[in-house]
Amino acid sequence: MDLGEIEQLRGELAAFVAEVFASVPRRDQRAKGDCYLRGLMLDGRRKSIQPMAERLPDGDMQALQQFVNQSPWDHTAVLQAVALKTVAVVDPQVWVIDDVSFPKDGKMSAAVARQWCGALGKQANCQVAVSLHAACDTASVPISWRLFVPQEWADDERRRARAGMPDAVGHREKWRLALDLIDEAIGWGLVPQVIVADAGYGQIAAFRHALAERGLDFVVAVRSDESAHPADAVPAAPAWSGHGRKPAARYRGKASSLKDLAAETGRKSYRQATWRTGSKGPMRSRFRVQSVRPAGVAARRHAMAGAGGSAAWDGVLPALTLLTEWSAGQKAPTEYWLTSLGAGTALRRLVRLAKMRWRIEHDYREMKHGLGLDHFEGRTWRGWHHHVTLVTAAHAFLTLRRLDPKAQAPV
């Protein structure tokens, strides 16, 4: 947007800011929030504080620096207000867990480390954040964020102090951060939807088990080499000699890979399904649904714990539904998902849910290229969270306008 378009939205934006920044007690601080959001939405190559302040008629670089980097306003309260306002309008069908990386120079920015950087497609110096999004076919909004803290930051008091990292914050695996985000959103009063995630989360049995314990349905991507038994496999115990401990029931056949289970009947058993219409027409492929029992040490441990211990466990591994895609021209299935939804669920629904992650990639592109998500140049924990919260608010404001049939486009 140019300055003229931004000016046409001043009244609408002011009302939005007054509502979602109501937890920020000072009026002048809320005014800085309004200014920062206009800077994020205004045309310009860089959305860091200095260039934004220079582009805005009322831009004050020092005031904006103080608002983002030093002011102690609670970013969580603002994220909650934004989520409560926008999620109901989006009417999501899924909650998507994902993560995003921010390439960085140096080693003093909060939680920066050499790690896998999706933005660059390689190991690099970066920050990584886990995010939760509410999505439907036509729109999506971020709900909240967690900055991943690598293990090397856990006891580095010097860097932690310089970055202003809270004492209570330490290293926590990304899948646990994802669960924290889900629990937080539910605590805010949001109604949970089917959880969707890529294989970085779906492959972790503990993550799937934790979702099931919470009573949450999920459709998560997994790797083809994960092992499982067919759903009709039955564990058996050897005959007991009458001496010593009775032998435990277990599966006598070796578990197969999901790849082998999915390919056993050939591509002829796969049915065509269309999940949405893209820029080049309907997006369709061939899919198969079957029941399996994920195997492995983690699966056995969780099943045993759920039964109340080894003595009470009957050896049966819980069944999940396996959804696989076999793309045209390929010699084997190409994509794999495990879901808690039953195998009798309509194929088109399963496919649509599994493929809903594309909306989040759209979010990230808009927030990075249009709203400066990765343009923050500060190093502090507080500054990063304030900037990401402000970008989330700007994205929500624009999403609400797009979804409002009464909204007038700037002229």
Side-chain angles (χ1 to χ4, degrees):
M1 297 183 185
D2 59 28
L3 277 172
E5 292 170 328
I6 291 290
E7 284 301 313
Q8 289 185 50
L9 298 177
R10 285 293 292 272
E12 189 177 341
L13 180 60
F16 175 82
V17 168
E19 181 175 351
V20 301
F21 284 85
S23 60
V24 179
R26 288 171 45 184
R27 182 178 178 182
D28 64 316
Q29 295 289 75
R30 295 194 296 272
K32 292 170 188 173
D34 183 293
C35 183
Y36 200 92
L37 263 61
R38 283 184 281 118
L40 293 172
M41 293 186 290
L42 186 60
D43 293 338
R45 185 172 182 179
R46 288 294 298 174
K47 301 295 177 73
S48 52
I49 292 175
Q50 181 175 347
M52 286 198 303
E54 291 173 350
R55 286 192 286 266
L56 290 165
D58 57 341
D60 183 327
M61 186 179 72
Q62 186 174 355
L64 291 178
Q65 288 276 15
Q66 193 278 334
F67 173 69
V68 173
N69 291 312
Q70 283 85 44
S71 180
W73 54 275
D74 182 6
H75 71 275
T76 302
V78 175
L79 285 173
Q80 178 180 1
V82 172
L84 292 174
K85 183 174 180 64
T86 57
V87 169
V89 177
V90 169
D91 191 19
Q93 292 144 11
V94 296
W95 281 4
V96 183
I97 289 291
D98 211 335
D99 50 61
V100 61
S101 56
F102 305 85
K104 288 286 183 180
D105 294 324
K107 61 179 184 179
M108 301 310 293
S109 295
V112 71
R114 185 169 180 79
Q115 55 194 318
W116 176 257
C117 180
L120 300 177
K122 62 180 182 180
Q123 291 282 326
N125 205 56
C126 66
Q127 296 167 309
V128 176
V130 180
S131 57
L132 173 64
H133 306 246
C136 66
D137 286 320
T138 56
S140 56
V141 288
I143 296 175
S144 194
W145 308 76
R146 288 290 188 277
L147 187 57
F148 171 68
V149 178
Q151 184 62 52
E152 68 183 66
W153 277 78
D155 302 312
D156 193 332
E157 298 300 333
R158 175 173 171 268
R159 282 202 294 175
R160 290 176 65 91
R162 291 191 63 177
M165 190 176 291
D167 292 339
V169 173
H171 171 70
R172 192 163 171 79
E173 298 94 329
K174 293 173 190 173
W175 67 270
R176 294 187 189 277
L177 295 178
L179 293 172
D180 293 344
L181 288 169
I182 292 168
D183 291 342
E184 177 183 63
I186 294 172
W188 290 347
L190 296 176
V191 178
Q193 304 298 316
V194 176
I195 306 299
V196 174
D198 66 17
Y201 300 88
Q203 192 69 25
I204 300 171
F207 178 67
R208 302 195 304 262
H209 181 74
L211 294 176
E213 282 189 323
R214 288 163 169 78
L216 301 175
D217 282 319
F218 56 84
V219 181
V220 293
V222 290
R223 297 197 309 264
S224 63
D225 60 355
E226 174 152 336
S227 61
H229 296 282
D232 58 1
V234 178
W240 183 41
S241 65
H243 300 286
R245 187 176 181 179
K246 286 186 177 181
R250 62 183 180 87
Y251 294 90
R252 298 297 150 180
K254 184 180 179 181
S256 303
S257 69
L258 294 183
K259 180 179 180 179
D260 289 342
L261 291 173
E264 61 187 359
T265 56
R267 195 169 186 267
K268 66 180 184 296
S269 65
Y270 281 63
R271 292 184 291 146
Q272 182 171 280
T274 301
W275 60 93
R276 69 182 177 91
T277 300
S279 58
K280 297 181 180 180
M283 303 186 72
R284 58 173 65 99
S285 186
R286 300 188 72 85
F287 299 86
R288 183 188 178 199
V289 175
Q290 62 191 114
S291 292
V292 298
R293 299 184 184 276
V297 174
R300 290 196 299 273
R301 184 172 63 247
H302 290 304
M304 192 180 301
S310 58
W313 185 40
D314 60 5
V316 176
L317 292 168
L320 290 175
T321 300
L322 172 64
L323 171 69
T324 49
E325 177 182 358
W326 197 324
S327 301
Q330 300 299 312
K331 296 181 179 180
T334 48
E335 301 291 339
Y336 302 77
W337 297 267
L338 285 175
T339 174
S340 59
L341 299 173
T345 305
L347 175 63
R348 186 170 184 269
R349 179 171 185 244
L350 288 178
V351 173
R352 285 180 62 241
L353 294 174
K355 294 287 189 177
M356 198 76 75
R357 284 190 63 252
W358 79 273
R359 284 290 333 174
I360 310 314
E361 298 304 322
H362 183 276
D363 271 0
Y364 283 150
R365 284 196 300 272
E366 181 174 271
M367 287 189 289
K368 283 190 171 184
H369 302 317
L371 298 172
L373 177 65
D374 56 351
H375 293 185
F376 180 63
E377 296 177 350
R379 294 179 174 178
T380 66
W381 178 270
R382 175 180 290 168
W384 184 90
H385 284 84
H386 281 175
H387 172 75
V388 169
T389 297
L390 289 157
V391 171
T392 301
H395 180 269
F397 175 75
L398 294 174
T399 299
L400 289 172
R401 292 201 82 256
R402 283 195 294 267
L403 296 177
D404 184 358
K406 299 178 182 179
Q408 297 294 317
V411 295

